[in-house]
């Protein structure tokens, strides 16, 4: 099982998209020693997620959603999405 999750701000904007195989550990990591800015974490009003059968399915969907929504806190380099695996 694998997951794609979205951090959503108080206005309903998707501000970050990520993937994980262990949702509990990933959320604990984000909100204790997270790699994103404090601005991002302070802006989170809601977290949504979807389950996928395989990690490769979630990787494809993560890339699709990042490309579709261009979340403020996902990393971009030269206009291309950087995925941290």
């Amino acid at each position: 099982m694998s997951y794609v999750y979205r951090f959503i701000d108080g206005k309903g904007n998707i501000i970050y998209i990520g993937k994980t195989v262990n949702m509990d550990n990933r959320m604990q990591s984000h909100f204790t020693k997270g790699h994103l800015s404090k601005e991002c974490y302070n802006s989170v009003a809601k977290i949504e997620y979807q389950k996928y059968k395989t990690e490769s399915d979630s990787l494809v969907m993560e890339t699709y959603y990042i490309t579709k929504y261009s979340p403020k806190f996902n990393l971009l380099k030269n206009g291309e999405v950087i995925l941290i695996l």
Side-chain angles (χ1 to χ4, degrees), residues 4-20 23 25-32 34-50 65-66 69-74:
V4 173
Y5 58 92
R6 296 173 294 279
F7 290 170
I8 300 170
D9 68 14
K11 296 179 182 177
N13 299 310
I14 297 170
I15 58 172
Y16 182 77
I17 296 172
K19 75 169 194 57
T20 187
M23 185 63 75
N25 286 350
R26 189 65 180 133
M27 290 303 112
Q28 182 178 6
S29 172
H30 266 302
F31 291 97
T32 57
H35 68 280
L36 301 172
S37 70
K38 287 184 182 185
E39 178 189 357
C40 175
Y41 294 121
N42 291 337
S43 298
V44 176
K46 180 167 62 168
I47 300 170
E48 296 178 339
Y49 67 92
Q50 293 175 290
Y65 288 130
I66 291 171
Y69 296 108
S70 301
K72 179 178 180 178
F73 294 101
N74 282 91

